[in-house]
Amino acid sequence: VRTGNGYDVHQLVPGDGVTLCGLFIPHDQMLSGHSDADVALHALTDALLATCGAGDIGDHFPPSDPQWKGAASRIFLEHAAGLVRARGGTIMNADVSLIAEAPKVGPHREAMRRNLAEFLGISLDRCSVKATTNEKIGFVGRREGIAAIATATVVYRGADA
Amino acid sequence: VRTGNGYDVHQLVPGDGVTLCGLFIPHDQMLSGHSDADVALHALTDALLATCGAGDIGDHFPPSDPQWKGAASRIFLEHAAGLVRARGGTIMNADVSLIAEAPKVGPHREAMRRNLAEFLGISLDRCSVKATTNEKIGFVGRREGIAAIATATVVYRGADA
Amino acid sequence: VRTGNGYDVHQLVPGDGVTLCGLFIPHDQMLSGHSDADVALHALTDALLATCGAGDIGDHFPPSDPQWKGAASRIFLEHAAGLVRARGGTIMNADVSLIAEAPKVGPHREAMRRNLAEFLGISLDRCSVKATTNEKIGFVGRREGIAAIATATVVYRGADA
Ligand SMILES: [Mg+2]
Ligand SMILES: [Mg+2]
Ligand SMILES: [Mg+2]
């Protein structure tokens, strides 16, 4: 069994909403980035890649590559999940902590978990989405950005206990 | 086997001490929050809930609910541990990293670990408390707050390898 | 099976390069610290110690101890790995996320992973190094420091499933 972590952050700029865990939430700011800037899926993509030492999201999907402009980040996550499976891995669970002053994540948690379950092809009880503010301090507290911390646990056939 | 993460932060304000891992440590600041603002136990509560997709601490214990005003955060952690067990989970280990410029955690580490072992009902060797400063930079480095990152690993009977 | 986390940060000051995962990378800044200030190895050392509740890196290698001045941080990591093994542990995997605005980590990833594999005595596919910027915000975004988040998973003989 192997566990990987992931961390990502994107800047908030004036806009009409943010995409988190593949879900669009209306808001008076948007996340800035080359793709849809879904920090949650980016962090989780990194956590999955980490379980088999397969580099990071910037490696697989360079921000300099025009084909990923505005891309839905589920593409990145599904790619990582496919790569894990191709190496004999079974995804045990996936967990994301969103660190954001706003918008509120709670009302959208279940829809976000369902997205993770669909993108990863695992059961809902293995998918977790949590959220906290940064209590008004730091770059998150000043609403300059949203951060995400992810964890993924994978058992590799043959290789692992 | 499933692993969850947790992150929490609370602001430091003038006061006479902080409660971390259920232990009161005299200090020239206090943590601000609705409950006792124990960032370590809050992060660990989230990590446990994450292992079965059971939402987050704000879900189970809304800060808007007056009954949690000044509450000892062990209540939150014990609730999460009970929920994990009710779903067939055995807690393999619990780990917290405290990120704080002060007070020093080292002298209190063993008492904090004993608290975790008691609250979670697991052996002491499965309980870890670590600490680091933020090297005087960022909101932690400016002593505006204390952050905590937690990890919990749980094996669910039947469901998991 | 038990999973530990680690977090570390060091300040960037004017200099000629940084040491990350045991690799020196020329850069117009250096990391400030008592040892070689390798945040990646420090975070990973903490993650390993966490899996058996063995305190943290500051406990084992006090910054106040002159013998660690300028020390190569592989010493700290190898000590933690040895301690884990002495307690019956087998390291399943090790993962580090570097959070740095610069220098670029991608070109050095494979050399860093080879270092981890050597220091820990495990196969390369069990070693992961990832990197992300902080998108120009926060203390990392202002190039005031570099942070690292690590995860290590260990199976303890007899004690664990
Ligand atoms: Mg990103
Ligand atoms: Mg809290
Ligand atoms: Mg350090």
Side-chain angles (χ1 to χ4, degrees):
Chain A
V1 57
R2 308 185 194 179
T3 296
N5 68 62
Y7 170 85
D8 196 31
V9 53
H10 280 274
Q11 277 193 36
L12 285 165
V13 295
D16 66 350
V18 296
T19 298
L20 296 171
C21 291
L23 192 79
F24 182 78
I25 305 175
H27 185 51
D28 62 355
Q29 292 180 299
M30 63 178 282
L31 288 164
S32 152
H34 189 65
S35 67
D36 64 3
D38 188 330
V39 286
L41 297 192
H42 293 187
L44 191 50
T45 297
D46 262 5
L48 279 172
L49 293 173
T51 63
C52 52
D56 60 30
I57 190 172
D59 231 21
H60 291 263
F61 304 98
S64 55
D65 187 334
Q67 75 173 297
W68 309 122
K69 188 157 164 49
S73 295
R74 67 177 287 175
I75 296 170
F76 311 149
L77 184 64
E78 289 173 341
H79 175 82
L83 190 148
V84 160
R85 289 205 175 89
R87 297 189 183 195
T90 302
I91 302 169
M92 292 288 110
N93 79 307
D95 175 34
V96 179
S97 286
L98 282 161
I99 314 170
E101 219 58 26
K104 282 198 182 305
V105 167
H108 307 287
R109 184 198 317 286
E110 293 312 306
M112 290 178 175
R113 290 179 64 217
R114 282 194 299 270
N115 277 354
L116 295 188
E118 180 192 339
F119 303 161
L120 297 173
I122 61 178
S123 63
L124 192 61
D125 65 297
R126 297 183 187 274
C127 296
S128 161
V129 177
K130 309 178 310 298
T132 183
T133 71
N134 212 67
E135 297 281 325
K136 299 193 167 67
I137 51 180
F139 69 87
V140 167
R142 292 186 299 271
R143 301 191 184 214
E144 295 171 11
I146 291 179
I149 298 175
T151 303
T153 294
V154 175
V155 171
Y156 285 89
R157 198 166 42 240
D160 294 336
Chain B
V1 55
R2 308 184 195 180
T3 296
N5 68 63
Y7 170 86
D8 197 31
V9 53
H10 279 273
Q11 277 194 35
L12 285 164
V13 295
D16 66 350
V18 296
T19 298
L20 296 171
C21 291
L23 193 80
F24 182 78
I25 306 176
H27 185 51
D28 62 356
Q29 292 180 299
M30 62 178 284
L31 288 165
S32 152
H34 190 65
S35 68
D36 64 4
D38 188 330
V39 286
L41 296 192
H42 294 187
L44 192 50
T45 297
D46 262 5
L48 280 172
L49 293 172
T51 63
C52 53
D56 61 30
I57 190 171
D59 231 20
H60 292 264
F61 304 97
S64 55
D65 187 335
Q67 78 172 296
W68 310 122
K69 187 157 163 51
S73 295
R74 67 177 289 174
I75 296 170
F76 311 149
L77 184 64
E78 289 173 341
H79 174 82
L83 190 148
V84 160
R85 289 206 174 86
R87 297 190 183 195
T90 301
I91 301 170
M92 292 287 111
N93 79 307
D95 175 34
V96 180
S97 287
L98 282 160
I99 313 172
E101 219 59 27
K104 281 198 182 304
V105 167
H108 308 286
R109 183 198 318 286
E110 293 313 305
M112 291 179 175
R113 291 179 63 216
R114 282 193 300 269
N115 277 355
L116 295 189
E118 182 193 337
F119 303 160
L120 297 173
I122 60 177
S123 63
L124 192 62
D125 65 298
R126 296 183 187 275
C127 297
S128 161
V129 177
K130 311 177 310 299
T132 182
T133 71
N134 212 66
E135 297 281 326
K136 299 192 167 66
I137 51 180
F139 70 87
V140 167
R142 292 186 299 269
R143 300 190 184 214
E144 295 171 11
I146 290 179
I149 298 174
T151 303
T153 295
V154 175
V155 171
Y156 286 88
R157 199 166 40 240
D160 293 337
Chain C
V1 56
R2 309 184 194 180
T3 296
N5 69 62
Y7 170 86
D8 196 31
V9 54
H10 281 274
Q11 276 193 36
L12 285 165
V13 296
D16 66 349
V18 296
T19 298
L20 296 170
C21 291
L23 192 80
F24 182 78
I25 305 176
H27 184 51
D28 62 356
Q29 292 180 300
M30 62 177 284
L31 288 165
S32 153
H34 190 65
S35 67
D36 65 3
D38 188 330
V39 286
L41 297 192
H42 294 187
L44 191 50
T45 296
D46 262 6
L48 279 172
L49 293 172
T51 62
C52 52
D56 61 29
I57 190 171
D59 230 21
H60 292 263
F61 305 97
S64 55
D65 187 335
Q67 75 174 297
W68 309 122
K69 189 158 162 47
S73 295
R74 67 177 289 174
I75 296 170
F76 312 149
L77 184 63
E78 289 173 342
H79 175 82
L83 190 149
V84 161
R85 289 207 174 86
R87 298 190 183 195
T90 302
I91 302 169
M92 292 287 111
N93 78 306
D95 175 34
V96 179
S97 286
L98 283 161
I99 313 171
E101 219 58 26
K104 282 198 181 305
V105 166
H108 306 287
R109 184 199 317 286
E110 293 311 306
M112 290 178 175
R113 290 179 65 215
R114 281 193 300 270
N115 277 355
L116 294 188
E118 181 192 339
F119 303 161
L120 297 173
I122 60 177
S123 63
L124 191 61
D125 64 298
R126 295 183 189 275
C127 297
S128 161
V129 177
K130 309 177 309 301
T132 183
T133 71
N134 212 67
E135 297 282 324
K136 299 193 166 66
I137 50 180
F139 70 87
V140 166
R142 291 186 300 270
R143 301 191 183 213
E144 295 171 12
I146 290 179
I149 298 174
T151 303
T153 295
V154 175
V155 171
Y156 286 88
R157 200 167 38 241
D160 293 335

